Amino acid sequence: MAENQKQNYLTHPKGIMSWLLTLDHKRIGLMYLFGGIAFFFLGGVLALGMRLELAAPGNDFVSNDTYNNMYTLHGAIMIFLFIIPAIPGALGNILLPLMLGAKDVAFPRLNLASFYIYTVGALFVMYTIISGGVDTGWTFYTPYSTTSTSNVIPMTMGIFVIGFSSILTGLNFIATIHKMRIPGLTWYKLPLFVWALYGTSLVQITATPVIAITMVLLILERLLGIGIFDPALGGDPVLYQHFFWFYSHPAVYIMILPAFGIISEIIPVHSRKKVWGYKFIAFSTLSIAFIGFLVWGHHMFTSGQSVFSQIVFSFITYFVGIPTGVKIFSWMLTMYKGQVSFTPPMLYALSFLFLFTIGGLTGIFLGAVALDIHLHDTYFVVAHFHYVMQGGTIIAFLGGLHHWWPKSMGTMYNQTVANICCLGVFLGFNGTFFPQFLLGLRGMPRRYATYDQQYAELHNYSSFWSGILGLSIFISIMNLLWSLRKNNKLDPGTNPWGGMTLEWTHTTSPPHPHNFEEEPVLEHGPYDYDKVIVEPTFKK
Amino acid sequence: MSHDNSSPKFLQHHFHDVEQQYETAKLGMWAFILTEVLTFGGLFVAYVVYRSWYPEMFVGANLLLDVNKGLLNTIVLITSSLTMVLAVWAIQKKNQKLSLFMLIATFLFAFMFLGIKYLEYSHKFEVGQLPGEYYSYMGPEIAHLNNPHIFFSIYFIMTGLHGLHVAIGMGLIAWLIYATAKGNLNSEYYTPMEMIGIFWHLVDLIWIYLFPLFYLI
Amino acid sequence: MSEHHITPLKTYLAVAGTLFFLTVVTVWVSYFDFGSFNIVIAMGVATLKASIVALFFMHLLWDDKKNLTMFVMSLMFLGIFITVTLLDTGFRGGVNSEVESPINNRAAFYDSLPLTDTHGHPVDEHSADHHGEGEDHH
């Protein structure tokens, strides 16, 4: 076994084919990770391009049509190719079986298939970009999307295909969590990240089929004029919005729930304290997943839906605040009187708490019908969902990446650089998006390449800080990649943060190709810092 | 690390035992059924909404469908469901020959279903009862109704998606026939047959709703 | 896998018999007019049939209850989708009755369609004397 110990999944087996045809969940996770990061950069470049255009009033760099393509592609790429697949696909894939003590996910071949389906979907999106883009906005609202001359069909085909990848990942994770746990690992002993992935997967399999059928109907509407969404043919464009948001509102929780899970892991480990309110956090995950299905109409307050449903949707929307608040308070109470260490993952987690709280609270403003009618389609909405999606999900993703990087890669990045980058991300983010709240309140509508002189100062400010934000994220990723250079390997027994979940205590860094030398035996709960002492170990 | 030599060859390395592998496959299959129900669910929503907006048109347009063909197809599909469970039953009872026979029968019934569907579709194409802008049928019984093309859009999309599932099911059953004939599936290991069976019953189950929605009411 | 539940042949045949019977019943009932109860009866019979298929043919009756939960969950979410969408589409006329249903009750292309007989062949307007004018002056 001694030689066996030196093997890890990164180096064994060797060869390009062993990666392309791998059934190992950790390798598939890494492929998702690098695919996702590539699209993150592409989407980021588009965002910076837009901010450049918006730095001053007037069409300075791009035409209105190009700008329309840019925001559509930015939204679609970030959501469908990065955020939705990235956390479950990358971190979820790498960590889920490790946290359960399993050798692999339930259906390894399906797992590889869903990665390739994702790749095919990505090719459709690439084709859309090369052949001239699409200008409908990432929501593809009818009737514009049925009449636009841009490449709506390849783009919606891409989303249709990526949907299958998402469904198969969710299905796989559900079966894995139910059936692949080691004996003794009961539901209440699961790490909270697993609960989060479970909630995410449930939403993935219930909501994603509806976007698939919606995209099919949209394509058929363009090809055959079926008349279901086209008002000229006796159809109803608002029905399209119902179909779209029945998926896309729960999809918001597909994006944010895994982020909650990451934060629930980082905070107890880096505070060296048992998580406060384990069951509260676990069940708030499931209740968010459920309530998320009842509130989609709050995206449609100005669309012409009935007043009755506006009231119902607005009312139910407030309930989302309850489980979310439960989580935020549980995390804060976990840190209370803990030994908080300001490592890069913890800094990201703290940023998350701050930014997500702003994002969540402004969401409550927007849930009120009267206020939303005023703020709908303004920069207030843009700022709100960037505070949730970037300030929440992407910050948590970066935090998780820094937290589990030594585990999955067996190397340690430069922590000082990482801390500085985290600060840069935090400042850059607030500098970019906080002014957008003010712009929105003053009436600046979203999706315009030009604007009135009165908005110039805030736009200029926002554009400046977006550069800092982009640069900080770029350097932090480069910092991670730089750690992969030669002769930078950590000792396989390293547990740099003193984590207590199975992936830290029972396997090497990077893990063995079959995850564990032998099946782990559960000795303590995931956050038993009050009972057991696990010292952080860190040596090269 | 790797399982010992006594474990059967169909047991994959990451499972403890056959039971765990079987239960996992089944749970995964039911999760998949859930996604299928919601895929068709979107279309059911479209049906319900448009029926509530165009009640007379829906009642008028469904008279244009051939109840006898629909009834025949219902019976064909229920029979195929029966032969499918009997195929699983036979292989549980170690009767591979009977199982093979039942699978072939299921395949033929599925083919018959698509054949009848083809006759229905070709008649619709002939008279111009087509989805969306291709609609051109203005017969006396329907000329006064509002937007009948929407009924036919929903009809063609729902039965078309269902027909696609029948076709996919036929492909899967063909593979089962091959695997059973070769002896890869036997009374020890028949999980794929049971899973594809569940899929096939779902196809039947959806048709149970489509039939009254389009042909009867 | 010999310990799995094996359903007796008789049960399967009885189930199939019930399904055929209910199919005939639902067709037979459809020839009578019960007004708005037509839909209720047809859907009730369909749901009965679907439950029988799910419980017996799909083995949910004997299976791990997780699978049944999964199936019931799919129906619950479908129910949410239908009900909540109807909260909008069924109540639009509340403030402004013009938007109660889709505004374009007759798509423009119908104006250029000639009347046809039951075989889809255009009928010329002289023989179709039971119809008013102004439909097909193209």
Side-chain angles (χ1 to χ4, degrees), chain A residues 351-384:
Chain A
S351 310
F352 171 93
L353 284 182
F354 186 81
L355 300 175
F356 181 76
T357 304
I358 296 180
L361 289 177
T362 50
I364 293 180
F365 299 179
L366 291 170
V369 182
L371 203 52
D372 182 77
I373 287 172
H374 178 68
L375 293 172
H376 191 83
D377 268 357
T378 67
Y379 265 73
F380 193 89
V381 177
V382 175
H384 157 69

mmCIF file of all heavy atoms in Angstrom, chain A residues 351-384:
data_model
loop_
_atom_site.group_PDB
_atom_site.id
_atom_site.type_symbol
_atom_site.label_atom_id
_atom_site.label_comp_id
_atom_site.label_asym_id
_atom_site.label_seq_id
_atom_site.Cartn_x
_atom_site.Cartn_y
_atom_site.Cartn_z
ATOM 1 N N SER A 351 -17.234 38.776 3.248
ATOM 2 C CA SER A 351 -17.737 39.642 2.167
ATOM 3 C C SER A 351 -19.118 39.188 1.746
ATOM 4 O O SER A 351 -20.021 39.995 1.516
ATOM 5 C CB SER A 351 -16.829 39.587 0.936
ATOM 6 O OG SER A 351 -15.513 39.794 1.280
ATOM 7 N N PHE A 352 -19.252 37.864 1.625
ATOM 8 C CA PHE A 352 -20.547 37.310 1.219
ATOM 9 C C PHE A 352 -21.640 37.793 2.154
ATOM 10 O O PHE A 352 -22.691 38.251 1.710
ATOM 11 C CB PHE A 352 -20.475 35.778 1.232
ATOM 12 C CG PHE A 352 -21.803 35.100 1.035
ATOM 13 C CD1 PHE A 352 -22.225 34.726 -0.226
ATOM 14 C CD2 PHE A 352 -22.646 34.843 2.117
ATOM 15 C CE1 PHE A 352 -23.455 34.114 -0.405
ATOM 16 C CE2 PHE A 352 -23.875 34.240 1.939
ATOM 17 C CZ PHE A 352 -24.278 33.875 0.675
ATOM 18 N N LEU A 353 -21.403 37.655 3.480
ATOM 19 C CA LEU A 353 -22.446 38.029 4.434
ATOM 20 C C LEU A 353 -22.877 39.470 4.219
ATOM 21 O O LEU A 353 -24.064 39.790 4.188
ATOM 22 C CB LEU A 353 -21.931 37.873 5.873
ATOM 23 C CG LEU A 353 -21.845 36.446 6.389
ATOM 24 C CD1 LEU A 353 -21.374 36.452 7.826
ATOM 25 C CD2 LEU A 353 -23.195 35.778 6.288
ATOM 26 N N PHE A 354 -21.888 40.342 4.036
ATOM 27 C CA PHE A 354 -22.185 41.759 3.866
ATOM 28 C C PHE A 354 -22.943 42.015 2.563
ATOM 29 O O PHE A 354 -24.011 42.636 2.548
ATOM 30 C CB PHE A 354 -20.860 42.535 3.892
ATOM 31 C CG PHE A 354 -21.031 44.006 3.867
ATOM 32 C CD1 PHE A 354 -21.336 44.709 5.033
ATOM 33 C CD2 PHE A 354 -20.896 44.719 2.684
ATOM 34 C CE1 PHE A 354 -21.494 46.072 5.005
ATOM 35 C CE2 PHE A 354 -21.055 46.081 2.649
ATOM 36 C CZ PHE A 354 -21.354 46.767 3.816
ATOM 37 N N LEU A 355 -22.389 41.479 1.474
ATOM 38 C CA LEU A 355 -22.962 41.785 0.162
ATOM 39 C C LEU A 355 -24.315 41.111 -0.028
ATOM 40 O O LEU A 355 -25.259 41.702 -0.553
ATOM 41 C CB LEU A 355 -22.004 41.354 -0.947
ATOM 42 C CG LEU A 355 -20.638 42.027 -0.902
ATOM 43 C CD1 LEU A 355 -19.724 41.442 -1.953
ATOM 44 C CD2 LEU A 355 -20.789 43.517 -1.098
ATOM 45 N N PHE A 356 -24.394 39.860 0.416
ATOM 46 C CA PHE A 356 -25.655 39.158 0.203
ATOM 47 C C PHE A 356 -26.775 39.796 1.021
ATOM 48 O O PHE A 356 -27.928 39.826 0.584
ATOM 49 C CB PHE A 356 -25.532 37.678 0.555
ATOM 50 C CG PHE A 356 -26.799 36.938 0.318
ATOM 51 C CD1 PHE A 356 -27.176 36.604 -0.973
ATOM 52 C CD2 PHE A 356 -27.667 36.638 1.349
ATOM 53 C CE1 PHE A 356 -28.366 35.972 -1.215
ATOM 54 C CE2 PHE A 356 -28.867 36.015 1.116
ATOM 55 C CZ PHE A 356 -29.220 35.672 -0.170
ATOM 56 N N THR A 357 -26.436 40.305 2.201
ATOM 57 C CA THR A 357 -27.467 40.954 3.000
ATOM 58 C C THR A 357 -28.013 42.176 2.269
ATOM 59 O O THR A 357 -29.232 42.400 2.224
ATOM 60 C CB THR A 357 -26.904 41.354 4.371
ATOM 61 O OG1 THR A 357 -26.367 40.183 4.982
ATOM 62 C CG2 THR A 357 -27.978 41.924 5.263
ATOM 63 N N ILE A 358 -27.113 42.954 1.649
ATOM 64 C CA ILE A 358 -27.610 44.096 0.867
ATOM 65 C C ILE A 358 -28.473 43.612 -0.288
ATOM 66 O O ILE A 358 -29.575 44.122 -0.527
ATOM 67 C CB ILE A 358 -26.428 44.938 0.343
ATOM 68 C CG1 ILE A 358 -25.673 45.549 1.515
ATOM 69 C CG2 ILE A 358 -26.920 46.019 -0.607
ATOM 70 C CD1 ILE A 358 -24.503 46.391 1.103
ATOM 71 N N GLY A 359 -27.982 42.580 -0.975
ATOM 72 C CA GLY A 359 -28.750 42.047 -2.104
ATOM 73 C C GLY A 359 -30.114 41.551 -1.659
ATOM 74 O O GLY A 359 -31.125 41.803 -2.308
ATOM 75 N N GLY A 360 -30.148 40.845 -0.524
ATOM 76 C CA GLY A 360 -31.407 40.293 -0.049
ATOM 77 C C GLY A 360 -32.377 41.376 0.387
ATOM 78 O O GLY A 360 -33.568 41.332 0.059
ATOM 79 N N LEU A 361 -31.869 42.364 1.098
ATOM 80 C CA LEU A 361 -32.779 43.412 1.590
ATOM 81 C C LEU A 361 -33.349 44.244 0.446
ATOM 82 O O LEU A 361 -34.529 44.595 0.462
ATOM 83 C CB LEU A 361 -32.048 44.312 2.597
ATOM 84 C CG LEU A 361 -31.756 43.639 3.950
ATOM 85 C CD1 LEU A 361 -30.964 44.558 4.850
ATOM 86 C CD2 LEU A 361 -33.040 43.211 4.632
ATOM 87 N N THR A 362 -32.516 44.542 -0.561
ATOM 88 C CA THR A 362 -33.083 45.290 -1.690
ATOM 89 C C THR A 362 -34.083 44.428 -2.447
ATOM 90 O O THR A 362 -34.981 44.953 -3.102
ATOM 91 C CB THR A 362 -31.982 45.765 -2.652
ATOM 92 O OG1 THR A 362 -31.151 44.653 -2.972
ATOM 93 C CG2 THR A 362 -31.142 46.856 -2.024
ATOM 94 N N GLY A 363 -33.920 43.106 -2.333
ATOM 95 C CA GLY A 363 -34.913 42.211 -2.933
ATOM 96 C C GLY A 363 -36.271 42.386 -2.282
ATOM 97 O O GLY A 363 -37.304 42.286 -2.941
ATOM 98 N N ILE A 364 -36.282 42.657 -0.981
ATOM 99 C CA ILE A 364 -37.565 42.883 -0.309
ATOM 100 C C ILE A 364 -38.216 44.164 -0.821
ATOM 101 O O ILE A 364 -39.430 44.225 -1.015
ATOM 102 C CB ILE A 364 -37.361 42.898 1.219
ATOM 103 C CG1 ILE A 364 -36.960 41.489 1.644
ATOM 104 C CG2 ILE A 364 -38.604 43.347 1.945
ATOM 105 C CD1 ILE A 364 -36.717 41.314 3.103
ATOM 106 N N PHE A 365 -37.391 45.198 -1.096
ATOM 107 C CA PHE A 365 -37.971 46.411 -1.706
ATOM 108 C C PHE A 365 -38.680 46.037 -3.011
ATOM 109 O O PHE A 365 -39.805 46.430 -3.263
ATOM 110 C CB PHE A 365 -36.902 47.444 -2.098
ATOM 111 C CG PHE A 365 -36.060 47.978 -0.980
ATOM 112 C CD1 PHE A 365 -35.058 48.896 -1.259
ATOM 113 C CD2 PHE A 365 -36.246 47.590 0.320
ATOM 114 C CE1 PHE A 365 -34.272 49.408 -0.256
ATOM 115 C CE2 PHE A 365 -35.459 48.094 1.339
ATOM 116 C CZ PHE A 365 -34.464 48.999 1.039
ATOM 117 N N LEU A 366 -37.951 45.256 -3.822
ATOM 118 C CA LEU A 366 -38.488 44.960 -5.153
ATOM 119 C C LEU A 366 -39.683 44.024 -5.102
ATOM 120 O O LEU A 366 -40.453 43.939 -6.052
ATOM 121 C CB LEU A 366 -37.388 44.355 -6.031
ATOM 122 C CG LEU A 366 -36.281 45.332 -6.398
ATOM 123 C CD1 LEU A 366 -35.121 44.592 -7.047
ATOM 124 C CD2 LEU A 366 -36.795 46.396 -7.342
ATOM 125 N N GLY A 367 -39.835 43.311 -3.983
ATOM 126 C CA GLY A 367 -40.990 42.424 -3.855
ATOM 127 C C GLY A 367 -42.288 43.171 -3.613
ATOM 128 O O GLY A 367 -43.362 42.602 -3.740
ATOM 129 N N ALA A 368 -42.189 44.447 -3.246
ATOM 130 C CA ALA A 368 -43.402 45.229 -3.031
ATOM 131 C C ALA A 368 -43.883 45.767 -4.368
ATOM 132 O O ALA A 368 -43.146 46.465 -5.067
ATOM 133 C CB ALA A 368 -43.113 46.381 -2.078
ATOM 134 N N VAL A 369 -45.123 45.463 -4.723
ATOM 135 C CA VAL A 369 -45.605 45.791 -6.075
ATOM 136 C C VAL A 369 -45.446 47.279 -6.381
ATOM 137 O O VAL A 369 -44.911 47.661 -7.420
ATOM 138 C CB VAL A 369 -47.083 45.402 -6.231
ATOM 139 C CG1 VAL A 369 -47.553 45.699 -7.640
ATOM 140 C CG2 VAL A 369 -47.299 43.953 -5.914
ATOM 141 N N ALA A 370 -45.897 48.119 -5.450
ATOM 142 C CA ALA A 370 -45.923 49.548 -5.742
ATOM 143 C C ALA A 370 -44.524 50.074 -6.030
ATOM 144 O O ALA A 370 -44.305 50.838 -6.981
ATOM 145 C CB ALA A 370 -46.536 50.295 -4.557
ATOM 146 N N LEU A 371 -43.553 49.639 -5.220
ATOM 147 C CA LEU A 371 -42.191 50.110 -5.415
ATOM 148 C C LEU A 371 -41.599 49.513 -6.688
ATOM 149 O O LEU A 371 -40.862 50.165 -7.422
ATOM 150 C CB LEU A 371 -41.367 49.708 -4.187
ATOM 151 C CG LEU A 371 -40.123 50.499 -3.893
ATOM 152 C CD1 LEU A 371 -40.462 51.978 -3.863
ATOM 153 C CD2 LEU A 371 -39.547 50.080 -2.558
ATOM 154 N N ASP A 372 -41.938 48.244 -6.953
ATOM 155 C CA ASP A 372 -41.352 47.581 -8.109
ATOM 156 C C ASP A 372 -41.797 48.231 -9.410
ATOM 157 O O ASP A 372 -41.021 48.321 -10.366
ATOM 158 C CB ASP A 372 -41.737 46.109 -8.128
ATOM 159 C CG ASP A 372 -41.086 45.388 -9.294
ATOM 160 O OD1 ASP A 372 -39.882 45.106 -9.180
ATOM 161 O OD2 ASP A 372 -41.748 45.150 -10.316
ATOM 162 N N ILE A 373 -43.036 48.707 -9.448
ATOM 163 C CA ILE A 373 -43.507 49.331 -10.687
ATOM 164 C C ILE A 373 -42.647 50.556 -10.985
ATOM 165 O O ILE A 373 -42.337 50.854 -12.141
ATOM 166 C CB ILE A 373 -45.007 49.668 -10.566
ATOM 167 C CG1 ILE A 373 -45.792 48.359 -10.642
ATOM 168 C CG2 ILE A 373 -45.456 50.625 -11.666
ATOM 169 C CD1 ILE A 373 -47.255 48.486 -10.363
ATOM 170 N N HIS A 374 -42.200 51.230 -9.942
ATOM 171 C CA HIS A 374 -41.316 52.373 -10.145
ATOM 172 C C HIS A 374 -39.904 51.921 -10.529
ATOM 173 O O HIS A 374 -39.261 52.526 -11.394
ATOM 174 C CB HIS A 374 -41.271 53.197 -8.857
ATOM 175 C CG HIS A 374 -40.350 54.366 -8.925
ATOM 176 N ND1 HIS A 374 -40.603 55.450 -9.731
ATOM 177 C CD2 HIS A 374 -39.175 54.614 -8.313
ATOM 178 C CE1 HIS A 374 -39.617 56.321 -9.608
ATOM 179 N NE2 HIS A 374 -38.739 55.833 -8.749
ATOM 180 N N LEU A 375 -39.424 50.865 -9.906
ATOM 181 C CA LEU A 375 -38.017 50.494 -10.076
ATOM 182 C C LEU A 375 -37.794 49.446 -11.172
ATOM 183 O O LEU A 375 -36.655 49.154 -11.516
ATOM 184 C CB LEU A 375 -37.469 49.945 -8.755
ATOM 185 C CG LEU A 375 -37.380 50.966 -7.620
ATOM 186 C CD1 LEU A 375 -37.019 50.271 -6.322
ATOM 187 C CD2 LEU A 375 -36.348 52.035 -7.947
ATOM 188 N N HIS A 376 -38.868 48.871 -11.706
ATOM 189 C CA HIS A 376 -38.732 47.801 -12.681
ATOM 190 C C HIS A 376 -37.869 48.239 -13.872
ATOM 191 O O HIS A 376 -38.016 49.335 -14.379
ATOM 192 C CB HIS A 376 -40.122 47.405 -13.178
ATOM 193 C CG HIS A 376 -40.123 46.156 -13.977
ATOM 194 N ND1 HIS A 376 -40.152 44.911 -13.401
ATOM 195 C CD2 HIS A 376 -40.056 45.946 -15.302
ATOM 196 C CE1 HIS A 376 -40.115 43.983 -14.339
ATOM 197 N NE2 HIS A 376 -40.052 44.583 -15.504
ATOM 198 N N ASP A 377 -36.969 47.310 -14.292
ATOM 199 C CA ASP A 377 -36.102 47.586 -15.440
ATOM 200 C C ASP A 377 -35.256 48.842 -15.278
ATOM 201 O O ASP A 377 -34.908 49.490 -16.264
ATOM 202 C CB ASP A 377 -36.906 47.677 -16.742
ATOM 203 C CG ASP A 377 -36.976 46.325 -17.423
ATOM 204 O OD1 ASP A 377 -36.345 45.372 -16.901
ATOM 205 O OD2 ASP A 377 -37.627 46.216 -18.470
ATOM 206 N N THR A 378 -34.928 49.193 -14.041
ATOM 207 C CA THR A 378 -33.951 50.258 -13.859
ATOM 208 C C THR A 378 -32.656 49.640 -13.351
ATOM 209 O O THR A 378 -32.589 48.439 -13.106
ATOM 210 C CB THR A 378 -34.408 51.282 -12.804
ATOM 211 O OG1 THR A 378 -34.429 50.632 -11.533
ATOM 212 C CG2 THR A 378 -35.775 51.843 -13.117
ATOM 213 N N TYR A 379 -31.642 50.480 -13.168
ATOM 214 C CA TYR A 379 -30.377 49.983 -12.639
ATOM 215 C C TYR A 379 -30.508 49.505 -11.204
ATOM 216 O O TYR A 379 -29.629 48.803 -10.711
ATOM 217 C CB TYR A 379 -29.290 51.059 -12.768
ATOM 218 C CG TYR A 379 -28.511 50.856 -14.040
ATOM 219 C CD1 TYR A 379 -29.084 51.158 -15.254
ATOM 220 C CD2 TYR A 379 -27.243 50.321 -14.012
ATOM 221 C CE1 TYR A 379 -28.412 50.925 -16.422
ATOM 222 C CE2 TYR A 379 -26.556 50.091 -15.176
ATOM 223 C CZ TYR A 379 -27.138 50.390 -16.382
ATOM 224 O OH TYR A 379 -26.462 50.143 -17.538
ATOM 225 N N PHE A 380 -31.596 49.873 -10.512
ATOM 226 C CA PHE A 380 -31.800 49.345 -9.160
ATOM 227 C C PHE A 380 -31.889 47.819 -9.202
ATOM 228 O O PHE A 380 -31.298 47.112 -8.395
ATOM 229 C CB PHE A 380 -33.075 49.943 -8.558
ATOM 230 C CG PHE A 380 -33.200 49.711 -7.074
ATOM 231 C CD1 PHE A 380 -32.662 50.618 -6.169
ATOM 232 C CD2 PHE A 380 -33.830 48.579 -6.581
ATOM 233 C CE1 PHE A 380 -32.759 50.402 -4.806
ATOM 234 C CE2 PHE A 380 -33.933 48.360 -5.211
ATOM 235 C CZ PHE A 380 -33.394 49.272 -4.326
ATOM 236 N N VAL A 381 -32.622 47.325 -10.199
ATOM 237 C CA VAL A 381 -32.751 45.873 -10.366
ATOM 238 C C VAL A 381 -31.405 45.266 -10.740
ATOM 239 O O VAL A 381 -31.003 44.219 -10.234
ATOM 240 C CB VAL A 381 -33.828 45.562 -11.425
ATOM 241 C CG1 VAL A 381 -33.917 44.080 -11.669
ATOM 242 C CG2 VAL A 381 -35.163 46.122 -11.003
ATOM 243 N N VAL A 382 -30.689 45.948 -11.644
ATOM 244 C CA VAL A 382 -29.373 45.455 -12.058
ATOM 245 C C VAL A 382 -28.466 45.325 -10.835
ATOM 246 O O VAL A 382 -27.816 44.300 -10.624
ATOM 247 C CB VAL A 382 -28.747 46.411 -13.100
ATOM 248 C CG1 VAL A 382 -27.342 45.974 -13.446
ATOM 249 C CG2 VAL A 382 -29.615 46.479 -14.343
ATOM 250 N N ALA A 383 -28.462 46.385 -10.000
ATOM 251 C CA ALA A 383 -27.603 46.345 -8.818
ATOM 252 C C ALA A 383 -28.053 45.248 -7.871
ATOM 253 O O ALA A 383 -27.238 44.482 -7.357
ATOM 254 C CB ALA A 383 -27.648 47.701 -8.120
ATOM 255 N N HIS A 384 -29.379 45.122 -7.682
ATOM 256 C CA HIS A 384 -29.902 44.107 -6.762
ATOM 257 C C HIS A 384 -29.433 42.711 -7.159
ATOM 258 O O HIS A 384 -28.885 41.968 -6.360
ATOM 259 C CB HIS A 384 -31.431 44.153 -6.724
ATOM 260 C CG HIS A 384 -32.065 42.885 -6.286
ATOM 261 N ND1 HIS A 384 -31.968 42.420 -4.991
ATOM 262 C CD2 HIS A 384 -32.773 41.938 -6.966
ATOM 263 C CE1 HIS A 384 -32.600 41.260 -4.901
ATOM 264 N NE2 HIS A 384 -33.086 40.946 -6.080
#
